[in-house]
Every structure is written in structure tokens, then in C-alpha cells.
Amino acid sequence: MGHLDHAAYGWLTPVLSYVMACIGSALGLRCTVCALAATTRSSRRNWLLTAASAIGTGIWTMHFVAMLGFNVTGTEIHYNVPLTMLSLLGAMLVVGAGVFAVGYGRARGRALVLGGLTTGLGVASMHYLGMAALRLHGSVSYDPLMVGLSVAIAVVAATAALWAALNIKSPVAVAVASLVMGAAVSSMHYTGMLAVAVRVVPSEQALSGATAMQFIFPLAVGLGSYLFITSAFVALSPTADERAASASAARHLGGGQAPASAAPAR
């Protein structure tokens, strides 16, 4: 068995991956809250699409930033590019299905259960599809018990996050919920990694795919930048309460000007 190191760069990759999970969670929760407060179907759809892309991108970036610190003694590690990209697309699609179930569900309890289960399975499938993209000299096996535990953590975390989106409106509460969800997603990842065992078979044959620094690192940087930019855009977008207050102020201002315009007629 090869020795597995899950933090080859020390605390750098675990901390950075947690930060990315929190940012994706916070952005997704904020967008879901905005979607539920939207007054038009198109606005709700756009907010939910942004929420799905944010959560999917956040958990994918979290996973692969953490994988930058993954090392196996006795073998290089490469990644199959198509499978890695498929894990990103799959995460956004399945998470999107869960988010839309909550966003458009009429029975909130049933929508929450369906959305949490779908989103949680999306998080887990992204993780294990990403692991399937590993290319190394040897074979990878999994402890079924730890795999099941990691999937359960993903489902519980997703359900709790969607419950927060349905019931929490305060920005401070959303921030706290995103920290909890980020911790849950990170816990799911490292629980899944504890399920991994690698049997190294030394070989001189070149591995297929790309190294983490050739492919994963630049892609993670690009997606991380997307999350930061989108977060800034969403943070600057007015809330439903702010729009209502602005409309009310405009009506009051218009009402105050009417008598002045009528004064010359007298």
C-alpha cells in the first residue's frame, strides 16, 4: 500500500479549500434567498441558475484545491481531463436540480427533502467522479462504510443549507450558515478521502492525463476568480427590501412635487 498524504503543503490546501467552500455556499444561499423573494419568473430563474453555478463551482473548487495537497508515495498523480470537467458539469447540473426543486416547490417540506437529497448526491457524485479521474501507478480501492458516511454527510449538509435558504434572511445568519456548510462540505471531502486506499505498482510507463499544476491549479484559480467576482456583483445588488424602499421613496418624492407644479396655475 502506498502512503497517502492529504496535506502535502501543510495547512495551506485544507484552509484554502474550506474558504472556497464557504464562498460558494454563501453565494449560493444568498442567490437562493433572492430567488425566493423575486417577483417575476425570469428573475427567480436567473437567481437560481446563479445559485446552482455558485454552489457547484464552490464544491468543485474546494475538492480540487484540497486534491492539490494529495500525494501518494511511490507514484505520480495525473488527472483525466474529460472526466474532471464532467465532474464540474455534473456538480452544477445535479445541484441545480436540487436548488430548482426548492425554488419552485409548492410544498416546502417535500421540496426541502427532495432538494437536499438531490443536492447532497450531487456533491458526493462530484467527489467520486473527480476521484475516478485520478491516474497513478497502481489501483485505488474504497472502504464502503466510509463512503456511505461521506454521502450521508453530503446529504445532511445540503439539506441544512437549503433549509437555511428557506428560513434565514439576515445577511449575518446567511454568513454563519455558509461557514457551517463549508465545514460540512470539507468534512465530506476528507471523510471520503479516509475511505481511499492505494496499492502502488511501480512502473516506468508515462501516465496519461495532466498533472495538478498543469490543469487543476489554473482551472481552480479561474473558477475561484469567478466566485469572487460574482460575490461582489451579488453583494452590490439591491435586496427586495431595498428595492421596495427605493420605490416608496420615489413615490413620496413624486407626490411632493405635484402641488409645486400646480401652484402657478392658481
Side-chain angles (χ1 to χ4, degrees):
M1 291 291 179
H3 172 70
L4 308 186
D5 187 351
H6 298 288
Y9 299 104
W11 283 99
L12 177 62
T13 49
V15 171
L16 186 56
S17 63
Y18 171 68
V19 169
M20 300 312 299
C22 290
I23 292 174
S25 300
L27 183 55
L29 290 175
R30 170 69 172 165
C31 290
T32 304
V33 170
C34 291
L36 294 173
T39 56
T40 65
R41 291 185 64 85
S42 61
S43 178
R44 173 169 293 197
R45 181 197 63 226
N46 292 339
W47 279 117
L48 290 175
L49 286 173
T50 306
S53 67
I55 296 174
T57 299
I59 61 175
W60 187 95
T61 306
M62 178 272 143
H63 171 81
F64 281 101
V65 167
M67 290 302 291
L68 290 174
F70 180 64
N71 184 58
V72 181
T73 303
T75 178
E76 289 184 297
I77 296 176
H78 286 200
Y79 293 87
N80 178 282
V81 175
L83 264 182
T84 303
M85 296 304 298
L86 182 61
S87 70
L88 172 60
L89 179 61
M92 289 192 289
L93 288 177
V94 181
V95 169
V99 169
F100 271 78
V102 169
Y104 285 103
R106 295 183 178 179
R108 285 202 166 186
R110 185 173 60 185
L112 180 61
V113 171
L114 177 61
L117 180 63
T118 304
T119 304
L121 291 177
V123 172
S125 63
M126 180 281 305
H127 174 88
Y128 289 105
L129 190 56
M131 291 301 295
L134 283 178
R135 296 293 180 266
L136 46 75
H137 292 304
S139 59
V140 179
S141 59
Y142 295 91
D143 179 344
L145 180 62
M146 296 302 290
V147 170
L149 180 58
S150 69
V151 174
I153 292 173
V155 171
V156 171
T159 304
L162 293 176
W163 177 89
L166 287 171
N167 295 279
I168 294 176
K169 307 304 178 186
S170 164
V172 175
V174 169
V176 172
S178 69
L179 294 177
V180 174
M181 185 180 177
V185 172
S186 297
S187 298
M188 178 268 159
H189 170 83
Y190 285 105
T191 300
M193 294 308 294
L194 288 176
V196 176
V198 178
R199 181 176 178 272
V200 176
V201 179
S203 173
E204 297 298 325
Q205 185 176 0
L207 290 169
S208 60
T211 67
M213 288 301 173
Q214 288 174 335
F215 174 57
I216 301 299
F217 179 72
L219 187 57
V221 169
L223 292 175
S225 300
Y226 160 76
L227 287 176
F228 278 109
I229 293 171
T230 307
S231 297
F233 171 78
V234 171
L236 294 174
S237 298
T239 64
D241 291 341
E242 290 169 343
R243 287 193 296 270
S246 177
S248 177
R251 285 196 299 269
H252 283 302
L253 183 61
Q257 290 174 341
S261 61
R266 291 198 298 268

